[in-house]
């Protein structure tokens, strides 16, 4: 996007939420473990297109790109992901309530 | 108006009211309705842990490592360069090694320091994504990741700097550095006048994050 | 092998689809090698999970007038970017 015309720069700043910090950590750890490269992450981000840039937040785009790379490399299957996301939705209405309880394996948690 | 950072979160800020200890609004997080992308983060993390690719401890340790990085690290490097000419030379030769020499855990970061002088002002941007010397300075500020900054910094850096309150004379050459590939950049700002005799810690307190990106100057003593 | 320091180079103007680390606004523009950075794996291969032979990487300095023409704020201001050797041709 270098050189395109754009409006004033918004200087608002926020603290990162825990879930955002976890996305950042997943990127560092999964790329460090060889599941994908930073370039793979960037490629997936670019492939999401302009609309994603306008409608999703920074770390929303990152987790989508991390997931895309992990699926491509076979770290888990789409079925596993879909099932798990449904289970998580059933755990509770907020991010805190949707965390797996300590000591459970999550697979049978409802 | 396109924003790279979360108009919807600004809405949530009103739900939260107050500010965090750092003076920034809290993000919608633990008590807001669970979002699709938050569910994906939880799912990815759990699956990677269950399959033995990661541990929960690794995730929390990585968050701690990132939280420990801040512009204060870069400020210490800059202040040392201001008082120690040999270190300054090493910093300009290889800023990564010079930072490691000071004990900063910057991982495999390839870091280049670009020096501001009387005649030259440097400005850092990443037009392709959000490359930033994060292993030294911590995570980039929100504005650094915006479409507005990334689009304009390479084409009208002087107008951008004026928005940041920095009106540079025409006699100053601006050098913009687009972090397009494997290098990351830090600006070595010029030491402010009137700081003779200040020790390294006092000097470091003058070095702002923005002065190391090039969108600001160090504080005056 | 690659260009020597201070040698003039032009960024290839090609526009392949997919992930590249050569900004569009520099395609076809002429600059000067500011420094050689050494070999790095080709990101265009890395991005797709492929074996990535190393490519020499250079910092190339462009004048704002070369990039933006009359729209440049101050023609002799400069922009430096890292460009891989396979995107550069000698002028």
């Amino acid at each position: 996007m270098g050189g395109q015309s754009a409006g004033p720069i918004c200087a608002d700043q926020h603290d990162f939420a825990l879930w955002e910090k976890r996305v950042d950590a997943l990127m560092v750890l999964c790329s460090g473990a060889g599941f994908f490269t930073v370039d793979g992450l960037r490629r997936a981000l670019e492939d999401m297109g302009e609309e994603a840039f306008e409608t999703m937040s920074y770390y929303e785009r990152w987790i989508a790109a991390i997931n895309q790379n992990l699926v491509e490399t076979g770290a888990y299957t789409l079925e596993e992901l879909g099932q798990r996301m449904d289970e998580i939705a059933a755990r509770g209405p907020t991010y805190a309530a949707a965390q797996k309880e300590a000591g459970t394996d999550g697979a049978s948690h409802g | 108006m396109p924003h790279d950072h979360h108009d919807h979160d600004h809405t949530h800020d009103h739900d939260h009211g107050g500010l965090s200890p750092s003076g920034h609004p809290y993000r919608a997080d633990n008590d807001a309705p669970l979002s699709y992308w938050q569910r994906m983060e939880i799912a990815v993390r759990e699956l990677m842990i269950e399959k033995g690719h990661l541990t929960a401890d690794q995730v929390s340790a990585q968050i701690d490592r990132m939280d420990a990085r801040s512009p204060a690290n870069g400020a210490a490097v800059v202040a040392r360069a201001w008082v120690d000419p040999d270190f300054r030379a090493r910093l300009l030769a290889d800023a990564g090694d010079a930072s490691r020499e000071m004990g900063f855990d910057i991982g495999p970061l390839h870091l280049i320091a670009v020096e501001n002088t009387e005649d030259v002002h440097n400005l850092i941007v990443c037009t392709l994504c959000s490359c930033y010397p994060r292993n030294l300075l911590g995570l980039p500020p929100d504005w650094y990741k915006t479409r507005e900054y990334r689009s304009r910094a390479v084409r009208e850096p002087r107008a951008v700097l004026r928005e940041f309150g920095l009106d540079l004379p025409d006699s100053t050459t601006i050098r913009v550095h687009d972090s397009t590939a494997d290098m990351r950049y830090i600006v070595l700002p010029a030491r402010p006048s009137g700081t003779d005799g200040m020790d390294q810690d006092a000097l470091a307190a003058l070095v702002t994050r923005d002065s190391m990106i090039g969108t600001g100057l160090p504080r005056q003593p | 092998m690659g260009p020597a320091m201070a040698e003039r180079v032009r960024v290839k103007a090609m526009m392949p689809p997919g992930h590249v680390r050569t900004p569009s606004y520099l395609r076809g523009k002429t600059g000067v090698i500011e420094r050689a950075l050494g070999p790095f794996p080709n990101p265009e291969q890395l991005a797709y999970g492929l074996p990535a032979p190393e490519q020499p990487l250079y910092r190339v300095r462009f004048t704002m007038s070369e990039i933006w023409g009359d729209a440049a704020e101050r023609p002799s201001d400069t922009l430096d970017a890292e460009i891989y050797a396979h995107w550069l041709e000698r002028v």
Side-chain angles (χ1 to χ4, degrees), chain C:
Chain C
M1 278 296 290
M5 297 284 286
E7 184 164 345
R8 287 176 67 74
V9 289
R10 184 186 299 113
V11 181
K12 291 181 184 173
M14 61 185 178
M15 290 283 186
H19 180 76
V20 299
R21 302 299 297 173
T22 307
S24 297
Y25 70 89
L26 293 177
R27 312 271 175 97
K29 305 298 182 187
T30 297
V32 171
I33 302 280
E34 190 265 346
R35 74 180 83 170
L37 297 165
F40 286 87
N42 183 351
E44 295 157 30
Q45 303 292 109
L46 288 179
Y48 300 93
L50 301 168
E54 291 183 330
Q55 284 281 350
L57 182 63
Y58 297 94
R59 265 164 66 73
V60 184
R61 178 163 292 174
F62 305 85
T63 62
M64 289 295 188
S65 61
E66 166 68 12
I67 304 172
W68 309 115
D70 292 342
E73 288 177 319
R74 181 177 178 277
S76 57
D77 284 345
T78 65
L79 181 130
D80 292 8
E82 299 150 49
I83 311 286
Y84 296 89
H86 63 288
W87 275 90
L88 295 175
E89 51 199 12
R90 288 186 171 83
V91 177

Side-chain angles (χ1 to χ4, degrees), chain A residues 1-30 33 35 38-39 42 45-46 48 50 53-68 70 74-77 80-82 84-101 104-107, chain B residues 1-6 8-10 13 20-51 53-55 58-60 62-63 65-67 127-131 134 139-152 154-156 160 163-164 179-182 184 209:
Chain A
M1 57 186 57
Q4 293 175 5
S5 58
I9 295 156
C10 172
D12 288 359
Q13 184 65 27
H14 65 71
D15 284 346
F16 294 103
L18 177 58
W19 87 273
E20 294 178 305
K21 291 182 178 186
R22 283 174 168 160
V23 172
D24 202 275
L26 285 172
M27 187 279 288
V28 173
L29 293 170
C30 293
F35 284 94
V38 172
D39 299 281
R42 291 166 173 158
L45 288 167
E46 290 171 0
M48 283 180 225
E50 284 285 300
F53 197 87
E54 303 299 339
T55 58
M56 293 165 67
S57 75
Y58 185 76
Y59 281 111
E60 287 174 349
R61 284 181 274 122
W62 269 40
I63 189 60
I66 290 167
N67 176 63
Q68 176 73 26
L70 289 174
Y76 49 78
T77 65
E80 289 174 303
L81 177 77
R84 182 58 55 93
M85 286 181 69
D86 281 355
E87 288 170 20
I88 291 163
R91 288 180 195 164
T94 66
Y95 183 74
Q99 301 301 313
K100 185 161 62 176
E101 286 170 29
T104 69
D105 66 6
Chain B
M1 178 73 51
H3 277 283
D4 190 19
H5 53 285
H6 338 304
H8 60 278
D9 291 322
H10 290 290
D13 291 340
S20 75
S22 68
H24 300 135
Y26 280 115
R27 298 299 310 279
D29 189 3
N30 282 347
D31 54 353
L34 182 65
S35 75
Y36 176 85
W37 302 109
Q38 289 174 337
R39 277 197 289 142
M40 184 179 283
E41 181 276 315
I42 300 170
V44 169
R45 173 164 43 90
E46 289 182 0
L47 288 169
M48 292 301 281
I49 290 171
E50 284 164 31
K51 289 174 181 292
H53 300 314
L54 299 176
T55 67
Q58 278 180 301
V59 176
S60 52
Q62 173 59 30
I63 290 174
R65 198 174 304 131
M66 208 62 229
D67 278 347
T127 61
L128 296 175
C129 43
S130 53
C131 299
R134 63 198 331 255
L139 297 173
D142 287 335
W143 56 258
Y144 187 86
K145 303 182 286 186
T146 59
R147 170 185 300 278
E148 290 80 5
Y149 182 73
R150 293 163 54 197
S151 299
R152 295 175 55 211
V154 293
R155 187 183 179 107
E156 44 175 5
V160 166
E163 279 179 41
F164 281 88
S179 318
T180 48
D182 293 284
R184 301 294 176 267
R209 178 195 65 202

Side-chain angles (χ1 to χ4, degrees), chain B residues 25-221:
Chain B
Y26 280 115
R27 298 299 310 279
D29 189 3
N30 282 347
D31 54 353
L34 182 65
S35 75
Y36 176 85
W37 302 109
Q38 289 174 337
R39 277 197 289 142
M40 184 179 283
E41 181 276 315
I42 300 170
V44 169
R45 173 164 43 90
E46 289 182 0
L47 288 169
M48 292 301 281
I49 290 171
E50 284 164 31
K51 289 174 181 292
H53 300 314
L54 299 176
T55 67
D57 285 347
Q58 278 180 301
V59 176
S60 52
Q62 173 59 30
I63 290 174
D64 289 345
R65 198 174 304 131
M66 208 62 229
D67 278 347
R69 292 168 172 147
S70 82
N73 296 359
V77 171
V78 167
R80 170 117 185 248
W82 283 347
V83 300
D84 179 344
D86 291 339
F87 180 78
R88 173 182 159 278
R90 293 198 294 281
L91 182 72
L92 293 173
D94 187 330
D97 282 350
S99 301
R100 288 184 192 95
E101 176 191 324
M102 286 186 69
F104 294 114
D105 164 27
I106 61 169
L109 184 70
H110 295 282
L111 189 64
I112 290 179
V114 288
E115 186 178 33
N116 284 354
T117 65
E118 240 171 82
D119 309 318
V120 172
H121 184 89
N122 294 281
L123 179 68
I124 311 302
V125 64
C126 173
T127 61
L128 296 175
C129 43
S130 53
C131 299
Y132 184 78
R134 63 198 331 255
N135 286 8
L136 183 64
L137 301 185
L139 297 173
D142 287 335
W143 56 258
Y144 187 86
K145 303 182 286 186
T146 59
R147 170 185 300 278
E148 290 80 5
Y149 182 73
R150 293 163 54 197
S151 299
R152 295 175 55 211
V154 293
R155 187 183 179 107
E156 44 175 5
R158 289 172 184 269
V160 166
L161 291 177
R162 278 194 295 274
E163 279 179 41
F164 281 88
L166 200 54
D167 198 358
L168 295 177
D170 205 48
S171 55
T172 301
T173 296
I174 294 187
R175 299 203 190 287
V176 180
H177 304 270
D178 191 354
S179 318
T180 48
D182 293 284
M183 302 294 127
R184 301 294 176 267
Y185 298 89
I186 180 176
V187 174
L188 172 56
R191 179 171 173 167
S193 55
T195 57
D196 291 355
M198 286 176 71
D199 70 18
Q200 216 169 301
D201 287 346
L203 288 168
L206 303 178
V207 182
T208 61
R209 178 195 65 202
D210 286 8
S211 74
M212 293 180 281
I213 307 175
T215 51
L217 297 177
R219 297 184 183 94
Q220 290 297 317

